[in-house]
């Protein structure tokens, strides 16, 4: 058995979902972690995704939302981003368990002969592999301290009853039996809909969901009921009677102004007491200290001023495709006492071709761009929408509008200046045009040219500032270097650096070799920054990403006073 902090048995909190997908299990699991952490416990988390993909790396953002990148290069489900932001931890690729990973490990062992000629089956071999993986990963510290955590929050993706999640349900049933009831707490997230004009809260979907869960050998200790309005007492009593869960253990997660309220909602319903009692942890826990969280949630609700941000991207039809970027903008805006007003602009609507085919969308897109206080071009793959992004970067450069280009967005700025300042009309990335005579962005491999999965420059890499007086260095606290997460295959062509710098685009950050360009800044511009890495992945509530903060400060005319304060404080610091 794996031991938690102080040599105690690891405690598990399993979060499952019923009725429909998309209920917010990830936010619920993260919020449970926040409340337990506020009680003085060390918390880690695991996300189980029952799909056959080994990881989320090759999945379309339209299909599954953004791919979240971890320090170790793991390409994982966006829920792990929620865990990192809420719990302020650094997870690893192992914290995301998929069917693909489990089956591959079992098949690899079978090919090596590790099963000594046995018939390899779902039970016990797959289920044993799942249990072993959970116990091993849960014992790995993720909070920078030594030794395992006290509690591991496990989120089971999908909906109870899905065929693909059955091996995980069985493995978790076995795990709950082997560790004992006092070390395992099951929280089932379900939907309580309101139908018709009468407005009656319906409990039958949850009853059926719990019945299915019990038939599979798992009994919920708590119910977390999603609803538009707070649950009525009669609804709670009915759920308690038919789902065999005490009324005190029926939590209501109704709609709230922002998701930072969810941990407070759980605390106010004494969810921590019910969980700690089930896990026999009341003696080692303290009353939850959520003062900082309360201030943050309420401060956001009281904000009245907003800032318009033009988000020019490829996947604007599904905002989850840019979830971490949206959260990083939120963190930066809140720290400036502003609400973000994101103008979602499909890059293709800005293109000249769009003026002919969809003139109304073209006009609306340009109106949104021109009315925004700053422009952000996030990452992406493929050539769709690239001409529109180039026009957005050109508009930002010529009209001195604050601009932040991330990954592809940085490459866009390089292509734009090559074409419109250096006069290289056909300048392009070889990703979009392999035959271009001016390959200003080229493939610089850290992996294979042919296999899509696990071939990119991935994970945390160190960027060294070449000019200590640059804006980005100051935003990062006058640091000599910064560690940020990457996810890309293409780089700025080193052969063009000299020409680009003569045009005013300064490459102020690079890797240790000096050949991979990481940060660009445009001279004589309020804020025109491009970065090859993804700063959004390390942004946290109360600790916004430096570059997103710089963008919002520049958009509101506060950047130069802010940089002066940084310079003054550095000058006053003791040597």
């Amino acid at each position: 058995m794996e031991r938690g902090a102080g040599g105690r048995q690891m405690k598990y909190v399993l979060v499952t979902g019923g009725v429909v997908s998309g209920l917010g299990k990830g936010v619920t699991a993260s919020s449970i972690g926040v409340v337990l952490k506020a009680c003085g416990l060390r918390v880690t988390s695991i996300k189980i995704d029952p799909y056959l993909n080994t990881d989320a790396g090759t999945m379309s953002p339209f299909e599954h939302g953004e791919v979240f990148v971890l320090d170790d290069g793991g390409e994982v489900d966006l829920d792990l981003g929620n865990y990192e932001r809420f719990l302020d931890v650094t997870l690893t690729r192992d914290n995301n368990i998929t069917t693909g990973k489990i089956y591959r490990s079992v098949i690899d062992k079978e090919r090596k002969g590790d099963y000594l000629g046995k018939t390899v089956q779902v039970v016990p071999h797959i289920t044993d592999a799942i249990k072993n993986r959970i116990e091993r990963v849960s014992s790995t510290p993720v909070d920078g301290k030594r030794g395992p955590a006290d509690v591991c929050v496990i989120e089971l993706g999908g909906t109870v009853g899905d065929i693909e999640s059955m091996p995980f349900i069985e493995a978790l049933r076995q795990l709950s039996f082997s560790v004992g009831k006092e070390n395992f707490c099951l929280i089932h997230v379900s939907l309580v809909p309101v139908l018709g004009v009468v407005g009656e809260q319906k409990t039958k979907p949850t009853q059926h969901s719990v019945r299915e869960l019990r038939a599979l050998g798992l009994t919920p200790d708590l119910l977390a009921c999603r609803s538009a309005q707070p649950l009525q007492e009669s609804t709670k009593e009915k759920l308690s009677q038919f789902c065999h869960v005490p009324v005190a253990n029926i939590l209501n997660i109704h709609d709230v102004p922002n998701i930072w309220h969810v941990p407070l909602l759980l605390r106010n319903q004494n969810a921590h007491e019910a969980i700690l009692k089930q896990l026999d942890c009341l003696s080692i826990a303290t009353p939850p200290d959520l003062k900082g969280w309360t201030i943050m949630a309420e401060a956001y609700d009281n904000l009245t001023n907003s800032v318009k941000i033009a988000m020019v991207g490829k996947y604007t039809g599904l905002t989850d495709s840019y979830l971490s970027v949206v959260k990083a903008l939120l963190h930066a805006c809140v720290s400036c006492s502003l609400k973000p007003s994101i103008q979602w602009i499909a890059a293709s609507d800005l293109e000249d071709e769009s003026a002919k085919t969809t003139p109304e969308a073209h006009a609306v897109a340009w109106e949104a761009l021109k009315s925004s206080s700053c422009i952000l071009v996030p990452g992406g793959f493929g050539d769709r929408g690239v001409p529109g992004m180039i026009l957005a970067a050109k508009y930002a450069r010529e009209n001195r509008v604050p601009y932040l280009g991330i990954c592809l967005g940085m490459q866009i700025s390089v292509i734009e200046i090559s074409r419109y300042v250096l006069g290289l009309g056909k300048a392009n990335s070889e990703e979009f045009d392999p035959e271009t005579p001016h390959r200003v962005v080229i493939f610089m491999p850290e992996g294979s040219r042919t296999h899509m999965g696990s071939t990119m420059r991935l994970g945390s890499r160190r960027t060294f500032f070449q000019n200590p007086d640059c804006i980005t260095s100051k935003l990062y606290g006058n640091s000599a270097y910064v560690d940020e997460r990457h996810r890309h295959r293409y780089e700025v062509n080193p052969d063009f650096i000299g020409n680009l710098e003569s045009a005013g685009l300064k490459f102020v950050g690079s890797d240790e070799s000096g050949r991979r360009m990481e940060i660009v800044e445009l001279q004589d511009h309020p804020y025109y920054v491009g970065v090859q890495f993804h700063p959004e992945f390390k942004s946290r509530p109360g600790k916004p990403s430096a570059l997103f903060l710089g963008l919002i400060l520049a958009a509101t005319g506060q950047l130069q006073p802010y940089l002066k304060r940084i310079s003054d404080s550095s000058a006053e610091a003791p040597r």
Side-chain angles (χ1 to χ4, degrees):
M1 294 294 174
E2 293 298 334
R3 298 285 159 184
R8 293 183 293 271
Q9 163 67 44
M10 176 65 68
K11 309 283 186 178
Y12 296 97
V13 176
L14 171 62
V15 179
T16 60
V19 184
V20 292
S21 60
L23 282 177
K25 292 192 303 296
V27 173
T28 303
S30 302
S31 300
I32 289 165
V34 167
V35 176
L36 294 177
K37 186 177 177 182
C39 291
L41 300 177
R42 290 176 59 200
V43 180
T44 184
S45 60
I46 292 174
K47 171 70 189 294
I48 294 174
D49 283 305
Y51 48 67
L52 279 168
N53 304 60
T54 302
D55 59 32
T58 58
M59 298 172 82
S60 164
F62 283 124
E63 178 98 9
H64 206 68
E66 78 169 2
V67 176
F68 191 80
V69 179
L70 302 170
D71 267 4
D72 67 355
E75 297 173 285
V76 296
D77 185 85
L78 57 81
D79 279 322
L80 274 80
N82 274 329
Y83 302 157
E84 284 207 342
R85 284 187 288 269
F86 270 54
L87 299 173
D88 196 18
V89 294
T90 302
L91 301 174
T92 71
R93 67 179 77 230
D94 290 339
N95 291 88
N96 193 192
I97 299 175
T98 68
T99 298
K101 286 180 181 177
I102 296 296
Y103 273 76
R104 186 165 72 173
S105 68
V106 170
I107 290 169
D108 286 347
K109 286 179 72 175
E110 184 272 332
R111 290 290 84 190
K112 290 183 205 168
D114 289 358
Y115 294 114
L116 302 175
K118 296 268 187 191
T119 303
V120 180
Q121 298 174 290
V122 173
V123 181
H125 301 100
I126 294 294
T127 52
D128 283 351
I130 294 167
K131 286 189 296 180
N132 293 338
R133 182 74 64 104
I134 289 171
E135 292 186 322
R136 176 172 60 80
V137 174
S138 66
S139 66
T140 304
V142 295
D143 56 3
K145 300 176 183 176
R146 299 185 65 179
D150 298 298
V151 179
C152 177
V153 179
I154 304 170
E155 179 195 345
L156 176 61
T159 307
V160 169
D162 293 347
I163 291 174
E164 58 188 7
S165 64
M166 288 301 180
F168 291 101
I169 293 274
E170 172 58 21
L172 289 161
R173 182 196 67 77
Q174 293 178 22
L175 180 68
S176 69
F177 181 73
S178 62
V179 300
K181 290 182 70 173
E182 71 282 1
N183 296 309
F184 196 90
C185 178
L186 171 52
I187 302 173
H188 188 58
V189 182
S190 187
L191 177 68
V192 177
V194 172
L195 299 180
V197 292
V198 181
E200 182 187 357
Q201 293 177 332
K202 295 292 185 181
T203 64
K204 193 63 75 175
T206 300
Q207 291 181 43
H208 283 295
S209 181
V210 170
R211 187 179 302 158
E212 183 150 21
L213 192 61
R214 288 165 68 91
L216 296 169
L218 286 169
T219 301
D221 300 297
L222 290 88
L223 289 180
C225 299
R226 288 283 290 112
S227 61
Q229 299 297 326
L231 283 188
Q232 298 158 2
E233 282 305 311
S234 59
T235 305
K236 285 188 176 184
E237 288 167 6
K238 195 172 180 181
L239 284 168
S240 174
Q241 183 179 359
F242 290 104
C243 298
H244 295 244
V245 175
V247 171
N249 287 12
I250 296 177
L251 311 173
N252 179 209
I253 306 177
H254 55 77
D255 292 350
V256 288
N258 67 74
I259 61 171
W260 293 340
H261 280 280
V262 179
L264 308 179
L265 204 58
L266 294 173
R267 187 271 317 272
N268 294 343
Q269 297 176 68
N270 294 316
H272 56 287
E273 289 186 3
I275 297 168
L276 293 169
K277 183 179 178 183
Q278 173 65 30
L279 296 176
D280 193 24
C281 283
L282 285 169
S283 60
I284 62 168
T286 59
D289 179 8
L290 288 168
K291 287 178 189 169
W293 206 267
T294 305
I295 291 168
M296 188 169 63
E298 293 178 351
Y300 178 77
D301 291 342
N302 295 326
L303 294 176
T304 53
N305 296 326
S306 63
V307 57
K308 269 191 177 183
I309 305 153
M311 179 90 85
V312 183
K314 298 161 64 75
Y315 316 115
T316 52
L318 179 68
T319 55
D320 269 3
S321 302
Y322 300 114
L323 184 63
S324 290
V325 175
V326 171
K327 297 302 180 188
L329 286 170
L330 173 66
H331 303 157
C333 286
V334 169
S335 73
C336 297
S337 299
L338 294 164
K339 279 191 174 184
S341 174
I342 299 175
Q343 311 298 302
W344 294 95
I345 301 173
S348 53
D349 287 343
L350 295 172
E351 296 171 14
D352 295 337
E353 184 64 28
S354 172
K356 303 171 190 171
T357 56
T358 52
E360 286 186 12
H362 180 77
V364 169
W366 273 103
E367 175 59 31
L369 187 78
K370 290 178 179 180
S371 66
S372 296
S373 300
C374 58
I375 297 171
L376 193 154
V377 177
F381 296 91
D383 60 358
R384 185 176 58 81
V386 165
M389 295 179 197
I390 292 171
L391 290 173
K394 183 172 184 282
Y395 177 83
R397 177 178 59 82
E398 292 178 342
N399 294 277
R400 297 175 60 78
V401 177
Y403 173 91
L404 176 60
I406 298 171
C407 197
L408 173 62
M410 169 178 156
Q411 297 171 7
I412 290 295
S413 65
V414 167
I415 296 169
E416 189 276 324
I417 284 180
S418 299
R419 288 183 184 181
Y420 295 104
V421 179
L422 292 178
L424 306 175
K426 292 188 177 181
N428 214 333
S429 165
E430 69 174 14
E431 177 184 6
F432 313 135
D433 180 10
E435 305 303 320
T436 175
H438 306 295
R439 297 183 307 147
V440 293
V441 178
I442 60 172
F443 185 77
M444 290 179 68
E446 268 193 3
S448 164
R449 280 179 176 265
T450 54
H451 287 71
M452 296 291 283
S454 303
T455 61
M456 288 185 282
R457 191 162 191 251
L458 280 167
S460 183
R461 298 285 196 282
R462 182 158 291 182
T463 295
F464 294 90
F465 291 105
Q466 307 302 311
N467 177 4
D469 200 39
C470 65
I471 290 175
T472 46
S473 174
K474 291 175 182 175
L475 286 170
Y476 277 108
N478 292 313
S479 176
Y481 61 84
V482 62
D483 296 321
E484 293 280 12
R485 298 174 183 178
H486 293 66
R487 185 175 185 250
H488 61 97
R489 294 186 179 89
Y490 293 82
E491 309 267 2
V492 178
N493 189 340
D495 295 341
F496 285 85
I497 300 302
N499 289 343
L500 287 163
E501 290 211 320
S502 68
L505 192 67
K506 299 299 182 183
F507 291 84
V508 299
S510 67
D511 74 343
E512 66 279 359
S513 73
R515 285 186 56 78
R516 293 181 189 271
M517 297 300 122
E518 296 280 3
I519 308 173
V520 296
E521 291 182 12
L522 184 63
Q523 274 185 325
D524 304 320
H525 191 286
Y527 189 83
Y528 189 99
V529 174
V531 290
Q532 190 59 72
F533 47 78
H534 289 266
E536 68 269 25
F537 291 139
K538 292 176 78 170
S539 183
R540 300 283 185 270
K543 293 189 286 185
S545 161
L547 299 178
F548 282 84
L549 180 61
L551 179 70
I552 302 304
L553 289 169
T556 53
Q558 302 176 64
L559 180 60
Q560 289 309 317
Y562 177 82
L563 295 177
K564 187 175 186 305
R565 287 198 300 274
I566 291 177
S567 297
D568 291 347
S569 62
S570 297
E572 292 169 9
R575 299 276 175 192

